[in-house]
Amino acid sequence: MSTDGEWRRLDRRTLLVTALVMCGVAAGGAVPAFLGLARGMAVWQALLLVAAGATVLVAGGTGLDYVRWRRTRYRIGAERAELRTGLVLVKRRSLARERIRSVDLTANLLLRILGLVKVRIGTGENTGGESTLELDPVTRAEGERLRRELLDRAPAAGTSGAVDGELAVLDPTWIRYAPVSFVAPLLGGAAAGGLMQISEWFGVQSEVIDWIGGVFQETPLVWLIAALAAAALLAGVIGALALWVEMWWHYRLEREPGGTLRVRRGLLTARSLSIEERRLRGVELVEPLGVRLLRAARVDAIATGLVQDDDDKHADHSTLLPAVPRAVADGVAARVLREPASPTGAPLTPHPRAARSRRLRWSLTAALLPVLVLAALGAALDAPALLYAAGACAPVLLPAAVLLALDAYRNLGHGIHGDYLVARSGALRRTTVALQRGGVIGWTLKQSYFQRRAGLLTVTATTAAGDGAYAIHDADETEALHCASAAVPHLLEPFLIRGSAKDT
C-alpha cells in the first residue's frame, strides 16, 4: 500500500472541462439574451453584446477554476487523507484512514471522454462537508488506486469463507418498470412547463396556445384536457425511459475481497458507489404502487454513514438494485445479506382488524376533506362549477380511499426471521424492512388514546443505520411487546411495568 504521503495536484484538464461547461452555459443563455436584445437594437449590436458577455463568462469561469487548481493539493498518508485548498482563506481538511467508509467515483460525459473521474472520500458521518474530501477531477487510474487503497480492509469476522464476485448484473428487460414509477407524470408536467417557457423565450407563446386551440377547436373541454394530459403523460413515459437508461445502464453489483459491496452504473454519467459490509445493518424492499402491481421491487441498503452531507441527502447512495421482479429482488437481498433465503420473503404476523378500521377512517377523512371544501365554497360563493366539481370528485376519491385503506391494512405485518427483525407497511409505497437485531439500539413505544382503546401499539426500532428508525405500526399490544422483547433480549424489559407499555 502506498504511504509515501506526497502532495499531489488535481488533473490539469479540469481547466478544459470548465471551459467547455462554461461554453455550454453561455450558449444556453445567449439564445434568449439575443432574442431579447434584438428587439431593441440592430442584430449586429445584439450579437456583439452577447458574444462579449459569453467571452467574459467563459474566461472568468476558467480563470477561477485555474486558481482553484493551482491552490488545491491532496495527499494520502499512512494515517490520514488530507486536502488543502483556498486562496485568501486556506482550508485544510483531513480524515483519519481508519474512519474512511466510502470512496465513490463519478464521471459525467466530459470527464469520461477525457479519462477523468470525481472522487468523493467520506467517513459516513452526518457532519456536513467536514466529513468528506472531494477530488475533482483526477485520472480514472488514480481514482481506482485511491478507492482500492483507502478501502483495503481485512475481511470482516465470519466472512472469510464467503464467495466474492458478481451479485447482480443488468437485465435490459427491467426497463419495463420505468414508466410505472411516479417519475413519469412529474416529467410529463416538467415537459409541458418547459415547452411553454421555451415558447416564451422565442416570443411565440401566444402562437403556440392559439395553435393548440385551433387543433382542438371542435373538441369538448373534457376531451381537450384528457388529450393534453395524455400527451404530457406520453412525454413523461419517454422521459422516464431515458432517465432509467442514463441511471442504470452498465449496472453491476459485486462483492469485492475484504467485504465491500460495489455498485457500478450509468450511461453518460458513470457512477461507482461502495458500501462496506461491516456497515450493513439490513435491506429494505421498496415497492411503489405501480411497480408493485407488476410484482416488482427495488432493494435499498440499510447501512450506517450513507448520508454524508446536505448535498447527498436526496441522492440514491443506498439503492443496491433498481426495480426488478420480486423473486429476483429477494434473491439479490439474500446474497447481499449472505443468507440462504431473504428475510424480506418470510411469512409475517398479521395485525388486528382494529388497524384496518383506523386506516379506513384516515383515508375516508382525507378523501372527504376536498369534497367538503369544494361543496362549502360552492354554496358560499353560489358557484355551481364548484358544486359540480365536488360531485365529480366524491365518486372517484371515496372508492379509491377505501381500496387504498384495505390495501394498507393487508400490507401490515411483522416478525422475526433468524437474525433479522422484519416489518412491512404502506400502500402507495410499500416497504419491507429486514433489520439486523444486533443493529437495534433502542425502542420507542407509542400509543395514542384511540390505540389504547383498540389494544394497538406502534413499536419503533431505533438504529444508527438507514433512516434511523423503523416502525411496526398498529400491532396488537401484547404481540408487539413480545416481538420487541424477543428481537433484542433484555433491552426492553427494564421499561415494562406490569405488562403495560411505557414510552422509552
Side-chain angles (χ1 to χ4, degrees):
M1 181 169 13
S2 174
T3 58
D4 53 13
E6 64 174 290
W7 287 99
R8 298 171 180 262
R9 281 183 173 177
L10 303 177
D11 195 278
R12 189 186 186 96
R13 285 172 292 178
T14 182
L15 304 178
L16 176 59
V17 173
T18 300
L20 292 174
V21 170
M22 297 308 296
C23 285
V25 173
V31 174
F34 170 74
L35 292 174
L37 292 172
R39 297 176 184 178
M41 62 178 65
V43 173
W44 68 270
Q45 292 177 321
L47 282 174
L48 185 61
L49 285 176
V50 170
T55 301
V56 171
L57 182 63
V58 174
T62 306
L64 290 175
D65 194 55
Y66 175 77
V67 174
R68 180 188 71 91
W69 173 76
R70 288 280 299 179
R71 299 294 299 174
T72 301
R73 299 286 191 279
Y74 71 93
R75 70 177 177 183
I76 308 299
E79 297 182 357
R80 308 193 71 83
E82 300 175 87
L83 176 67
R84 186 175 63 193
T85 187
L87 179 59
V88 178
L89 180 62
V90 178
K91 296 181 180 180
R92 182 167 179 173
R93 283 181 288 170
S94 66
L95 304 177
R97 289 279 295 267
E98 68 271 12
R99 296 177 66 86
I100 292 175
R101 295 292 179 264
S102 64
V103 182
D104 297 332
L105 312 182
T106 307
N108 57 36
L109 184 58
L110 276 178
L111 293 179
R112 293 180 66 184
I113 292 174
L114 296 174
L116 305 174
V117 295
K118 179 171 70 174
V119 181
R120 191 179 186 89
I121 304 169
T123 63
E125 300 173 356
N126 191 15
T127 57
E130 299 302 318
S131 64
T132 62
L133 302 180
E134 188 171 281
L135 311 180
D136 183 16
V138 296
T139 63
R140 184 181 295 119
E142 173 70 358
E144 289 291 343
R145 183 189 72 83
L146 291 172
R147 198 189 70 83
R148 289 193 301 268
E149 185 173 315
L150 293 173
L151 294 181
D152 184 16
R153 301 282 197 271
T159 64
S160 58
V163 178
D164 299 319
E166 180 183 287
L167 300 181
V169 68
L170 176 71
D171 182 346
T173 61
W174 296 344
I175 196 175
R176 66 183 183 272
Y177 302 116
V180 296
S181 68
F182 292 114
V183 174
L186 295 178
L187 291 177
L195 175 63
M196 300 308 295
Q197 182 63 59
I198 293 174
S199 65
E200 183 180 3
W201 286 348
F202 286 91
V204 295
Q205 188 177 80
S206 59
E207 287 81 353
V208 171
I209 296 175
D210 292 340
W211 177 80
I212 295 175
V215 171
F216 295 96
Q217 185 174 6
E218 304 297 331
T219 305
L221 179 61
V222 174
W223 290 109
L224 170 61
I225 296 174
L228 294 178
L233 183 59
L234 177 60
V237 168
I238 296 173
L241 292 172
L243 182 62
W244 189 94
V245 171
E246 155 57 18
M247 291 182 61
W248 294 106
W249 207 249
H250 302 308
Y251 163 82
R252 179 185 175 91
L253 171 64
E254 56 192 352
R255 177 180 287 119
E256 297 182 326
T260 298
L261 297 173
R262 186 181 187 186
V263 179
R264 287 186 285 183
R265 58 184 177 83
L267 179 64
L268 301 179
T269 299
R271 302 170 181 86
S272 172
L273 308 176
S274 301
I275 300 175
E276 282 188 309
E277 284 190 278
R278 68 184 68 197
R279 297 162 49 202
L280 195 66
R281 298 293 179 267
V283 296
E284 183 176 17
L285 246 66
V286 182
E287 302 168 273
L289 181 60
V291 172
R292 178 157 59 95
L293 292 176
L294 298 182
R295 298 184 180 180
R298 82 166 191 261
V299 179
D300 288 356
I302 300 176
T304 59
L306 289 182
V307 178
Q308 299 160 336
D309 55 40
D310 291 339
D311 294 334
D312 284 343
K313 286 184 178 179
H314 302 289
D316 50 357
H317 288 277
S318 63
T319 302
L320 298 177
L321 186 69
V324 300
R326 176 62 190 267
V328 176
D330 282 329
V332 172
R335 291 193 290 274
V336 167
L337 298 176
R338 303 179 185 270
E339 295 287 335
S342 175
T344 56
L348 302 179
T349 301
H351 291 197
R353 290 190 176 183
R356 181 180 64 183
S357 300
R358 283 171 58 81
R359 274 145 188 79
L360 284 170
R361 287 195 297 269
W362 294 340
S363 295
L364 289 174
T365 300
L368 280 172
L369 184 61
V371 174
L372 295 176
V373 169
L374 288 173
L377 289 175
L381 301 176
D382 193 20
L386 295 178
L387 296 175
Y388 295 149
C393 289
V396 175
L397 294 180
L398 295 181
V402 172
L403 290 176
L404 286 176
L406 295 177
D407 183 56
Y409 169 70
R410 284 194 299 268
N411 293 334
L412 289 176
H414 68 277
I416 296 175
H417 181 81
D419 295 331
Y420 293 88
L421 171 69
V422 185
R424 179 178 296 150
S425 64
L428 293 177
R429 183 182 184 271
R430 187 173 76 176
T431 59
T432 305
V433 174
L435 180 64
Q436 285 180 357
R437 294 158 61 186
V440 178
I441 59 177
W443 294 101
T444 301
L445 311 181
K446 293 183 179 181
Q447 192 176 44
S448 68
Y449 169 75
F450 296 103
Q451 283 179 308
R452 284 197 297 271
R453 291 189 58 183
L456 302 177
L457 181 69
T458 294
V459 181
T460 302
T462 305
T463 179
D467 293 335
Y470 295 93
I472 301 174
H473 297 281
D474 289 336
D476 177 79
E477 183 176 3
T478 303
E479 169 61 30
L481 292 174
H482 173 74
C483 179
S485 178
V488 188
H490 312 302
L491 179 61
L492 187 62
E493 282 79 356
F495 301 94
L496 299 180
I497 302 176
R498 296 179 183 177
S500 64
K502 299 293 184 181
D503 290 348
T504 60

